[in-house]
């Protein structure tokens, strides 16, 4: 579901920082408002019919609102996702949030190797940093082109450091 | 190659199953869009054949071709399949193909649910056709499923109810997907008031579906329990109220007719500006008019029931509320005409169908207003006048807009231009035969010919014969359409990215045919 909002890496002197997140055009409050707007009307209609004695509409309305709630919650769980890379001196801090689950890794700039697979646009570019035998993939929300650009910026920064 | 688990979603397209499994398991919005379109097309041939059975029988007074019981099965299934198996799935197909392309999203919000939503449809379609082979034949109580007939029939009535449940589940999944996609996956800069009108109309349609489908599901469930579990919701013999079924059905049913037509408004609002080479006149008023129509559609349902007996105040209320809908509808028609006014118009096939839509849908709107007047409706209710009305809004309305949309986006979908000469032939045959078929029905209705009968009095013979000739012409003209679509899929002149000189919008910025994956990274809309 996530699609990328392209944020190009920022390099200023000693620091390097990069931040990107999936594109969500609905804010949290909007999401709640839309959900309750729909749920209220649906449940109200079903309640009126139930009150008249035609109660078998209510279970269907209930199931539907349940599915809707699940769907909106699923949207919400990805809304806070992001990926960030910060470099201070030799320290590289990678942070990734996915579905409410935060993952972070600190690498030493002297010991990392940049891994780039399929380095041409359209070739499904994979970008990762390898250190201590473990790879951390980067640029989840970027296009191939943007991932290549990020790779270039990172490479320059790592070589310089 | 090492894979990071959190990235699995990026890697579709690597190990894709082939053959039938590809289609069964696909979660790609374009694949699913095509599936919906093909399903609608196949069901159109089935329900269209049923219509021709009806028109063959009605070609002459007396009983010649089928027996009356089978005739009633044909009218019932024709209506159910056309509404739930053709027009709605076709719009869902357009939604799947176009909405992500038009808002700059890579896919629908819930691709897996999208797959389930589609695959429920063939199951329901199969059940509906299967009813014909059950003991006692298919359902013959009318597409509106009114009791007492619908609580008296045989096993095929249970199957029909079950099919309606499945169709409802599919609609709910589809609309939740569409609402979440439109709200949450718009590209940066694609604000609500910049969205293409087709997207707007579908957003409102999806809302109508979510609000009303549980009502339909509940209504048919109560029919089912009345039939099988000794409840008496609608069974007068047990103290139930059959008229209440009509209220509940039309509380769903009238919003439903707008579910069928709002996406048509959207498509026409895309096509006319393209071929008039002018921006749509009154974009904001189009959005507000669509929303007003949707809201009003909840308070007009009893205009289908003026003859069941209701207080005069209720008659007045439903008459005026119904007539009120003509106001936002009029705004729309005005805006389409104003868009064409002084435009640099050209008349490719999509535009021809769109213009025919504006003219002929308006005729259907006017005959709707005639039906809305209580005293008049008491005269023409359940006559061919109503049949004429709803075929003008559904055939030259919804169906023509679907056809127009297919011509409009086919080059984007297939990468090839369709055969323009054949397209024009298809247009002229369709528009002429459609009017030959349905215009005389106004006269028949006014003269008192009732609907849903296999036979009629002698004085109705001429107009019925004319209508039947028109129907066969219309039906066979659609084969041109099928041929032309297959031809464009197989090959033909290469389409450019923009396809139409005046076309604007994100879908025209991607190559033709649109690649399997588009907008994996959101474009920025200025
Ligand atoms: C200006 C707008 C409209 C008005 C005022 C209007 C009014 C009416 C009225 C009063 C009836 C009931 C006639 C009777 O049964 O005696 C009717 C029937 C019907 N209308 Fe409309 N209508 C409008 C637009 C539409 C649209 C846009 C559609 C669908 C695309 C539609 C589809 C139908 C159908 C299917 C029926 C017949 C239902 C049945 O009994 O089987 N109408 N309309
Ligand atoms: Cu209505």
């Amino acid at each position: 579901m996530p699609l990328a909002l392209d944020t190009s890496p920022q390099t200023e002197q000693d620091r390097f920082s990069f931040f990107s997140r999936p594109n969500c055009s609905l804010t949290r409050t909007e999401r709640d408002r839309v959900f309750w707007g729909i749920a209220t009307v649906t449940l109200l209609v079903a309640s009126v019919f139930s009150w008249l004695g035609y109660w078998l509409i209510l279970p269907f309305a209930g199931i539907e609102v349940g599915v809707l709630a699940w769907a909106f919650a699923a949207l919400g769980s990805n809304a806070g996702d992001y990926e960030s890379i910060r470099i201070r001196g030799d320290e590289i801090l990678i942070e990734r949030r996915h579905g409410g689950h935060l993952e972070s890794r600190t690498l030493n700039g002297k010991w990392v190797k940049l891994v780039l697979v399929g380095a041409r646009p359209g070739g499904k570019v994979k970008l990762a940093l390898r250190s201590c035998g473990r790879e951390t993939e980067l640029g989840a929300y970027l296009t191939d082109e943007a991932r290549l650009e990020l790779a270039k910026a990172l490479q320059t920064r790592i070589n310089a450091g | 190659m090492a894979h990071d688990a959190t990235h699995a979603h990026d890697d579709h397209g690597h190990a894709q199953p082939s053959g039938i499994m590809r289609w069964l398991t696909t979660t790609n919005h374009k694949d699913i869009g095509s599936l919906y379109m093909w399903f609608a097309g196949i069901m159109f041939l089935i329900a269209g054949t049923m219509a021709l059975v009806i028109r063959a029988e009605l070609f002459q007074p007396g009983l010649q071709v089928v027996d009356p019981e089978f005739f009633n099965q044909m009218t019932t299934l024709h209506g159910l399949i056309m509404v739930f198996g053709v027009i709605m799935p076709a719009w869902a197909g357009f939604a799947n193909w176009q909405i992500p392309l038009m808002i700059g999203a890579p896919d629908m919000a819930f691709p897996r649910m999208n797959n389930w939503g589609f695959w429920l449809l063939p199951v329901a379609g199969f059940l509906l056709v299967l009813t014909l082979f059950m003991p006692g034949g298919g359902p013959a109580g009318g597409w509106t499923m009114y009791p007492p007939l619908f609580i008296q029939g045989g096993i095929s009535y249970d199957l029909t109810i079950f099919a309606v449940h499945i169709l409802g589940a599919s609609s709910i999944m589809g609309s939740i997907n569409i609402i979440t996609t439109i709200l949450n996956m718009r590209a940066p800069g694609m604000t609500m008031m910049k969205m293409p009108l087709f997207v707007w109309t579908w957003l409102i349609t999806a809302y109508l579906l979510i609000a009303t489908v549980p009502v339909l599901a509940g209504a048919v469930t109560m029919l089912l329990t009345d039939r099988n579990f000794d409840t008496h919701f609608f069974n007068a013999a047990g103290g139930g109220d059959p008229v209440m079924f009509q209220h509940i059905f039309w509380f769903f049913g009238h919003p439903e007719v707008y579910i069928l037509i709002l996406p048509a408004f959207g498509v026409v609002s895309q096509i006319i500006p393209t071929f008039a080479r002018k921006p749509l006149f009154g974009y904001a008023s189009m959005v507000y008019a669509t929303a007003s129509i949707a809201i009003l559609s909840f308070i007009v349902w009893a205009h289908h029931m003026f003859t069941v007996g209701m207080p005069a105040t209720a008659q007045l209320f439903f008459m005026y509320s119904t007539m009120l809908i003509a106001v936002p509808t009029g705004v729309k028609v005005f805006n389409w005409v104003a868009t064409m006014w002084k435009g640099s118009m050209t008349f490719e096939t999509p535009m021809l169908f769109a213009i025919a839509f504006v003219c002929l849908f308006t005729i259907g709107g006017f005959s709707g207003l005639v039906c809305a007047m209580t005293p008049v409706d008491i005269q023409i209710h359940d006559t061919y006048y109503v049949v004429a009305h709803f075929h003008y809004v559904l055939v030259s309305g919804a169906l023509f807009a679907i056809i127009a949309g297919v011509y409009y986006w086919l080059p984007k979908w297939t990468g090839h231009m369709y055969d323009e000469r054949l397209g024009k032939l298809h247009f002229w045959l369709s528009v002429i035969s459609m009017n030959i078929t349905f215009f005389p029905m106004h006269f028949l209705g006014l003269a008192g010919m009732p609907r849903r009968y296999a036979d009629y009095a002698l004085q109705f013979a001429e107009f019925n014969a004319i209508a039947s000739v028109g129907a066969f012409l219309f039906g066979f003209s659609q084969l041109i359409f099928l041929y032309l679509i297959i031809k464009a899929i197989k090959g033909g002149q290469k389409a450019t990215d923009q396809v139409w000189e005046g076309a604007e919008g994100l879908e025209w910025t991607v190559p033709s045919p649109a690649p399997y994956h588009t907008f994996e990274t959101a474009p920025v809309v200025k």
Side-chain angles (χ1 to χ4, degrees):
Chain A
M1 182 198 326
L3 62 157
L5 181 63
D6 193 345
T7 319
S8 23
Q10 307 261 310
T11 325
E12 24 168 288
Q13 291 184 337
D14 195 31
R15 291 196 187 152
F16 175 95
S17 75
F18 163 83
F19 182 84
S20 84
R21 58 184 181 80
N23 174 40
C24 290
S25 46
L26 195 67
T27 65
R28 210 199 147 75
T29 29
E30 283 167 346
R31 204 172 63 231
D32 291 348
R33 222 177 282 162
V34 173
F35 171 74
W36 286 112
I38 300 175
T40 315
V41 174
T42 308
L43 293 174
L44 190 74
V45 167
S47 307
V48 170
F49 282 121
S50 299
W51 176 66
L52 292 170
Y54 298 84
W55 59 274
L56 271 171
I57 292 168
L58 201 54
F60 289 100
I63 295 171
E64 183 192 70
V65 170
V67 177
L68 195 70
W70 165 80
F72 274 70
L75 290 188
S77 74
N78 284 324
D81 289 7
Y82 67 88
E83 179 181 294
S84 87
I85 308 168
R86 268 173 299 167
I87 308 181
R88 303 263 138 74
D90 270 347
E91 194 185 69
I92 305 176
L93 178 67
I94 300 171
E95 254 182 21
R96 220 157 44 186
R97 212 183 113 119
H98 190 80
H101 175 91
L102 187 69
E103 215 186 305
S104 70
R105 189 177 178 203
T106 314
L107 309 171
N108 186 323
K110 293 224 160 61
W111 298 91
V112 306
K113 189 168 177 283
L114 191 128
V115 184
L116 194 60
V117 184
R120 67 196 152 76
K124 211 69 193 160
V125 182
K126 183 187 142 192
L127 167 66
L129 285 181
R130 188 184 355 232
S131 177
C132 308
R134 200 158 74 92
E135 270 185 16
T136 304
E137 230 182 283
L138 298 173
Y141 310 126
L142 301 182
T143 49
D144 286 347
E145 288 80 0
R147 218 172 285 135
L148 283 173
E149 219 166 279
L150 174 64
K152 218 184 294 162
L154 271 174
Q155 188 72 66
T156 324
R157 185 62 191 71
I158 291 169
N159 289 344
Chain B
M1 177 174 140
H3 263 203
D4 188 331
T6 58
H7 289 179
H9 62 262
D10 274 347
D11 285 346
H12 34 222
H14 271 243
Q16 221 193 21
S18 55
I20 179 88
M21 283 314 283
R22 171 198 164 173
W23 295 103
L24 279 172
T25 58
T26 184
T27 53
N28 178 286
H29 73 102
K30 299 183 185 94
D31 278 354
I32 295 178
S34 304
L35 285 171
Y36 269 112
M37 297 309 277
W38 280 113
F39 176 77
I42 292 166
M43 295 315 273
F44 180 66
L45 290 181
I46 296 175
T49 307
M50 292 174 174
L52 294 188
V53 172
I54 296 170
R55 282 321 315 174
E57 178 54 53
L58 293 177
F59 180 61
Q60 283 187 326
L63 297 176
Q64 291 90 20
V65 184
V66 290
D67 64 71
E69 179 63 18
F70 188 74
F71 180 91
N72 291 346
Q73 295 168 23
M74 288 293 103
T75 55
T76 303
L77 286 173
H78 164 75
L80 278 170
I81 296 177
M82 280 295 185
V83 168
F84 294 105
V86 178
I87 308 281
M88 290 175 72
W91 287 137
F94 277 103
N96 267 286
W97 254 103
Q98 292 306 126
I99 289 176
L101 283 179
M102 293 172 110
I103 62 173
D107 205 313
M108 299 295 278
F110 297 98
R112 188 103 19 101
M113 184 161 79
N114 204 12
N115 172 290
W116 298 337
F118 171 76
W119 281 108
L120 286 177
L121 282 183
V123 178
F126 176 75
L127 285 182
L128 283 178
V129 175
L130 188 71
T131 58
L132 282 172
F133 303 96
M134 293 289 113
W143 82 278
T144 48
M145 302 180 282
Y146 283 1
L149 280 180
F150 241 77
I151 46 183
Q152 289 165 353
I155 177 96
S156 63
Y157 290 69
D158 295 307
L159 278 183
T160 305
I161 290 170
F162 188 43
V164 171
H165 277 128
I166 299 175
L167 292 162
S170 162
S171 297
I172 299 287
M173 290 191 205
S175 15
I176 290 180
N177 227 329
I178 288 169
I179 288 195
T180 47
T181 305
I182 297 175
L183 292 179
N184 197 45
M185 296 177 72
R186 277 169 289 127
M190 177 62 79
T191 56
M192 295 298 275
M193 292 309 271
K194 274 193 193 148
M195 290 197 313
L197 252 147
F198 178 67
V199 179
W200 256 115
T201 53
W202 239 118
L203 180 65
I204 294 170
T205 301
Y207 178 77
L208 285 179
L209 276 165
I210 290 186
T212 60
V213 166
V215 177
L216 173 70
V220 297
T221 306
M222 289 184 275
L223 283 180
L224 196 69
T225 60
D226 275 5
R227 291 170 53 78
N228 299 304
F229 304 108
D230 270 339
T231 58
H232 300 287
F233 289 109
F234 307 126
N235 188 351
D241 182 1
V243 171
M244 192 62 194
F245 177 86
Q246 300 189 18
H247 281 293
I248 301 176
F249 180 85
W250 288 114
F251 187 83
F252 151 81
H254 191 83
E256 169 69 18
V257 305
Y258 283 99
I259 288 162
L260 302 172
I261 203 70
L262 290 185
F265 292 166
V267 166
V268 170
S269 304
Q270 303 296 134
I271 293 175
I272 290 181
T274 297
F275 296 97
R277 291 164 182 77
K278 267 179 66 192
L280 184 69
F281 184 90
Y283 171 91
S285 67
M286 283 300 211
V287 173
Y288 299 134
T290 312
S292 321
I293 291 174
I295 293 165
L296 286 173
S297 75
F298 284 106
I299 56 161
V300 299
W301 76 90
H303 64 215
H304 294 275
M305 312 164 48
F306 283 136
T307 57
V308 301
M310 66 175 91
T313 38
Q315 292 183 336
L316 281 173
F317 174 81
F318 287 110
M319 170 164 97
Y320 286 128
S321 60
T322 303
M323 295 175 110
L324 212 55
I325 296 201
V327 176
T329 311
V331 168
K332 284 181 167 293
V333 174
F334 178 85
N335 285 347
W336 290 320
V337 175
T339 305
M340 290 188 270
W341 179 253
K342 294 194 172 164
S344 316
M345 294 216 281
T346 50
F347 300 93
E348 287 85 343
T349 314
M351 182 62 160
L352 289 175
F353 273 101
I355 293 172
F357 172 96
V358 175
C359 302
L360 299 174
F361 171 79
T362 304
I363 293 182
F366 279 134
S367 63
L369 279 175
V370 174
C371 295
M373 287 181 276
T374 314
V376 178
D377 189 62
I378 287 170
Q379 173 83 12
I380 59 179
H381 175 63
D382 265 345
T383 69
Y384 264 78
Y385 193 88
V386 177
V387 179
H389 156 65
F390 67 73
H391 283 94
Y392 267 84
V393 284
L394 285 172
V395 176
S396 53
L399 184 64
F400 273 23
I402 289 169
I403 296 174
V406 170
Y407 279 113
Y408 185 52
W409 282 304
L410 199 61
K412 183 52 69 188
W413 298 342
T414 65
H416 301 123
M417 296 308 283
Y418 58 85
D419 185 329
E420 186 67 50
R421 208 175 42 89
L422 277 182
K424 293 224 163 74
L425 180 69
H426 174 223
F427 169 75
W428 285 112
L429 284 173
S430 298
V431 80
I432 292 169
S433 59
M434 181 272 158
N435 282 290
I436 296 178
T437 312
F438 297 112
F439 208 82
M441 293 186 186
H442 291 110
F443 308 138
L444 288 169
L446 289 174
M449 177 173 162
R451 64 191 281 210
R452 296 175 172 167
Y453 281 95
D455 193 5
Y456 50 83
L458 276 178
Q459 72 267 29
F460 304 127
E462 282 83 0
F463 285 132
N464 269 298
I466 294 171
S468 288
V469 170
F472 275 84
L473 193 58
F474 184 85
F476 285 102
S477 307
Q478 303 320 305
L479 297 178
I480 303 175
F481 189 40
L482 181 64
Y483 169 74
L484 183 154
I485 292 172
I486 293 172
K487 199 171 151 197
I489 292 172
K490 291 231 168 111
Q493 189 200 331
K494 280 250 160 267
T496 60
D497 292 0
Q498 203 196 357
V499 182
W500 311 109
E501 185 193 36
E504 273 175 37
L506 288 177
E507 80 262 42
W508 309 110
T509 63
V510 303
S512 302
Y516 199 60
H517 296 296
T518 38
F519 299 130
E520 301 228 277
T521 297
V524 175
V525 180
K526 277 170 226 87

